[in-house]
Amino acid sequence: HVAGSDFGGAGYTGPGYWTNIYKTGHLLFNLGLTGSTATSPRVLDALTYMNVHWGDANADPGWRPSYIATIAATKGFTELGIETFNGHDWYDDFADLIVANQWANGHWRGSGFGENTDVRSTCWALLTLLKATSYVPPTVVTKAPESICMNTVTLNGYLTNMGTASSVSVSFQYGTVSGVYPYETSPVATSTVPKAFSADVAGLTKSTTYFFRAKAQGDAIAYGDELSFKTTEYPCTPVDMLPPTIKFPDFAMWSGVSGATGTGVPDKGNPAFTVNRSPFDLQFTVEDDSASSVQWMLSVAGHTVISSDGTGTFIRSLPLFQGRNDVLVTAVDAAGNAASRHLTITLDTHAPVVTLAGTLQSMVTGTTLNIEGTITDEVSGVRSLTIDGTDVVPYLDGTFTASIPLKRGLNTIAVETLDKAGNRDSFTWTLDLTLVPQPRVRRTIDLTIDSTLMVVDGTSVTMDVAPVIREDRTLLPLRALVQELGGSIAWNAKTHQVTVKVRGVTMVLTIGKNTATVNGNSILIDPANSKVVPVIIGGRTFLPLRFIAEQLGLEIGWYPPTRTVTITWEP
């Protein structure tokens, strides 16, 4: 800090000992390390010195052309974040001189401070120019290949340095001509060094020489030396000729499975069994003698529903259709060897259906209910039938009879059914013994929804059309009913009106209208649902059953299992 041409400069042992920009650059670097900034007084003094000697034409005390001086100043300016000072763009000045002074063979030679050797000067010049890129490439070594076979090889490399990058992608380039690499393996990123890496290459040609080199790409790209190898004429491992093995558990031991056959041997046979749920969790095991992946799939009725890969034990949710399901499990290994196993899984989700031979009232004799009917189960078969707590054994054709004692008053009769798939159902009848009429003549009509068969007093009669359900209400074909009741029916095509005269009642109903005239009085057909109206279906008039029954004094019974309507009346 002495006034004069050395003001602000730095020397080795003091401010007056061989002061120059080279040592002042080091001073700036050290000041930055100790906490000074670009505006600190001592930094400003050093910049004053550099400004005084910036244009000096020799290396002492200036920097032209001294590359040890340019790199020392670069370190100081960079540490303090100084891009320009006193109108000097210091890096442009350094770069212009260095580029202009490069020798034809690529080296640099400075004018002082030990720069009398080309290698030393060239290193300092390149270090100065490094600020222009800030990139240092990684360092990679090509290593000898392994597992050389007819069509495959494992290439090896070694990453020793990542340069200025924090992560480097490594790969291999290869080809059949030295120095020409049309193929490259997939890059793999790594952030640690030293790091050995490899890549498995397939699809090679047998008995062919290949050339390869390791490649590392970080902030810049680096390559290892070229090496070569020759593929073999024959495969290194035997050809896989064995198909995968598919095994099933003993489904006979599973809950919810019935009627199982062919399940005793895990890897043989075609199992068959019945279940009462869908989807069904199917378990199977795929094994293979090779370490390669196995592709497998599940098919139902010829349609693939699930496909995947791998070996081991799997459980997959399999959607099933009601009835028989043909299931196929197929497995194919990498060599193309295939295996398949068949299963037959029957899905039964419906309980048995009970159909009575007549009405309950007609089955009562004194204090005994003599029930006759039929029980059917189309899929798995009937396991049991219980009526009022008593087991009833049907005949081979499904018909059954049972005598149930009754008491005076209300009798609730419970019916429970069970099929071989485990499906259960139950329903009850309530019979008031005090209301059961004494033996007298009563007429009965049984009609089944969507069936054209009408049973009149036990005799079957075929109708033109079948009863239907609309708006959650039962609609009956009018003409067939009125004829059996001994009445008459007239149709007015102009007004779309039906006039019914039966059992001393005259009713006029209009198609599509929710009111009717009964003995001259207008009445709502269904107070709870205005959409219940007379309709024409298939050229026949359909009337709401409950309205007709109420107006004519008919009794109605409904049997849910068969959707059968029973109409009874006294003539």
Side-chain angles (χ1 to χ4, degrees):
H1 197 73
V2 179
S5 62
D6 290 340
F7 173 82
Y12 276 132
T13 60
Y17 180 76
W18 197 9
T19 305
N20 51 38
I21 286 180
Y22 159 49
K23 289 184 279 295
T24 305
H26 282 310
L27 171 67
L28 287 173
F29 181 69
N30 293 331
L31 288 174
L33 293 178
T34 57
S36 296
T37 66
T39 60
S40 298
R42 292 177 64 81
V43 173
L44 295 176
D45 290 348
L47 294 177
T48 298
Y49 175 82
M50 285 191 165
N51 180 57
V52 170
H53 297 285
W54 197 257
D56 289 1
N58 55 62
D60 192 7
W63 57 272
R64 304 168 186 267
S66 172
Y67 306 123
I68 193 172
T70 61
I71 185 55
T74 297
K75 288 169 61 180
F77 292 142
T78 303
E79 178 67 27
L80 292 165
I82 299 172
E83 296 294 334
T84 61
F85 72 97
N86 294 87
H88 301 297
D89 187 331
W90 59 269
Y91 186 71
D92 275 357
D93 292 347
F94 288 172
D96 288 345
L97 182 138
I98 292 173
V99 172
N101 286 328
Q102 186 178 22
W103 288 53
N105 67 353
H107 81 279
W108 283 271
R109 179 178 293 174
S111 59
F113 312 129
E115 292 183 274
N116 55 337
T117 64
D118 295 346
V119 172
R120 189 178 300 172
S121 294
T122 301
C123 287
W124 287 327
L126 288 174
L127 286 171
T128 304
L129 291 177
L130 185 62
K131 183 182 184 301
T133 63
S134 299
Y135 297 146
V136 176
T139 305
V140 67
V141 178
T142 308
K143 306 292 284 186
E146 297 176 336
S147 303
I148 304 172
C149 292
M150 185 172 71
N151 305 114
T152 60
V153 68
T154 299
L155 304 180
N156 297 312
Y158 195 76
L159 181 68
T160 59
N161 190 286
M162 292 195 294
T164 54
S166 60
S167 178
V168 172
S169 293
V170 293
S171 59
F172 296 93
Q173 295 180 328
Y174 63 98
T176 57
V177 178
S178 177
V180 180
Y181 312 105
Y183 310 109
E184 183 172 345
T185 62
S186 299
V188 177
T190 180
S191 56
T192 59
V193 289
K195 176 76 172 182
F197 60 95
S198 62
D200 295 327
V201 178
L204 304 178
T205 304
K206 68 177 183 178
S207 301
T208 302
T209 298
Y210 285 86
F211 302 88
F212 75 101
R213 64 180 181 179
K215 174 184 175 182
Q217 183 166 357
D219 289 337
I221 301 177
Y223 303 95
D225 294 336
E226 179 184 87
L227 298 179
S228 65
F229 63 90
K230 185 176 182 180
T231 54
T232 62
E233 185 176 356
Y234 300 101
C236 295
T237 57
V239 178
D240 181 8
M241 300 293 290
L242 297 177
T245 301
I246 301 172
K247 297 180 179 180
F248 294 126
D250 187 356
F251 291 109
M253 307 300 294
W254 282 34
S255 174
V257 172
S258 61
T261 60
T263 65
V265 182
D267 58 347
K268 298 183 184 300
N270 299 318
F273 51 88
T274 299
V275 298
N276 59 8
R277 63 188 183 276
S278 177
F280 174 72
D281 291 334
L282 177 65
Q283 177 179 315
F284 60 96
T285 300
V286 177
E287 299 176 352
D288 193 60
D289 59 331
S290 66
S292 59
S293 179
V294 175
Q295 302 289 325
W296 56 263
M297 67 179 65
L298 293 178
S299 302
V300 178
H303 300 283
T304 300
V305 294
I306 302 172
S307 62
S308 186
D309 58 55
T311 57
T313 298
F314 306 94
I315 298 178
R316 294 294 184 268
S317 186
L318 196 64
L320 301 175
F321 302 99
Q322 183 75 11
R324 178 190 174 104
N325 291 264
D326 293 319
V327 181
L328 179 66
V329 181
T330 304
V332 182
D333 63 18
N337 302 304
S340 61
R341 292 285 302 278
H342 291 267
L343 303 93
T344 301
I345 304 177
T346 300
L347 176 64
D348 182 4
T349 61
H350 301 323
V353 176
V354 173
T355 304
L356 296 183
T359 63
L360 286 177
Q361 287 84 354
S362 64
M363 299 179 183
V364 177
T365 58
T367 58
T368 301
L369 177 62
N370 299 308
I371 300 178
E372 296 182 359
T374 304
I375 182 170
T376 57
D377 189 274
E378 297 180 354
V379 182
S380 62
V382 177
R383 182 182 296 275
S384 66
L385 168 65
T386 303
I387 301 178
D388 203 29
T390 301
D391 290 332
V392 178
V393 180
Y395 297 103
L396 293 178
D397 61 357
T399 59
F400 65 88
T401 60
S403 295
I404 307 298
L406 301 174
K407 62 177 187 275
R408 299 298 295 179
L410 292 177
N411 292 263
T412 300
I413 303 166
V415 177
E416 296 181 354
T417 62
L418 174 66
D419 66 13
K420 294 179 180 179
N423 298 298
R424 297 178 180 272
D425 193 15
S426 63
F427 52 92
T428 60
W429 295 314
T430 300
L431 187 64
D432 189 346
L433 190 58
T434 60
L435 297 181
V436 174
Q438 297 300 319
R440 56 184 174 179
V441 178
R442 287 185 65 84
R443 302 278 320 268
T444 302
I445 295 178
D446 291 334
L447 301 105
T448 301
I449 301 301
D450 297 328
S451 173
T452 58
L453 189 65
M454 177 173 64
V455 180
V456 181
D457 298 331
T459 302
S460 297
V461 178
T462 301
M463 302 181 294
D464 292 338
V465 290
V468 297
I469 292 180
R470 294 289 189 272
E471 296 295 329
D472 203 27
R473 298 294 190 269
T474 302
L475 303 184
L476 296 182
L478 179 62
R479 184 171 299 279
L481 177 62
V482 171
Q483 288 176 348
E484 292 298 330
L485 292 174
S488 64
I489 183 171
W491 166 249
N492 188 327
K494 183 176 181 180
T495 62
H496 284 72
Q497 287 183 328
V498 178
T499 300
V500 178
K501 295 182 179 180
V502 63
R503 293 173 64 84
V505 178
T506 300
M507 293 183 292
V508 179
L509 301 100
T510 304
I511 301 300
K513 190 174 181 180
N514 62 0
T515 60
T517 300
V518 180
N519 292 336
N521 299 316
S522 179
I523 301 175
L524 280 173
I525 293 177
D526 192 332
N529 189 346
S530 61
K531 295 182 179 180
V532 178
V533 297
V535 297
I536 293 178
I537 301 176
R540 295 292 184 268
T541 303
F542 282 68
L543 300 182
L545 168 62
R546 187 162 298 280
F547 176 80
I548 298 298
E550 290 175 350
Q551 304 309 315
L552 299 181
L554 308 178
E555 294 179 8
I556 300 175
W558 170 250
Y559 183 59
T562 58
R563 301 202 304 170
T564 299
V565 177
T566 299
I567 303 172
T568 58
W569 76 98
E570 292 183 16

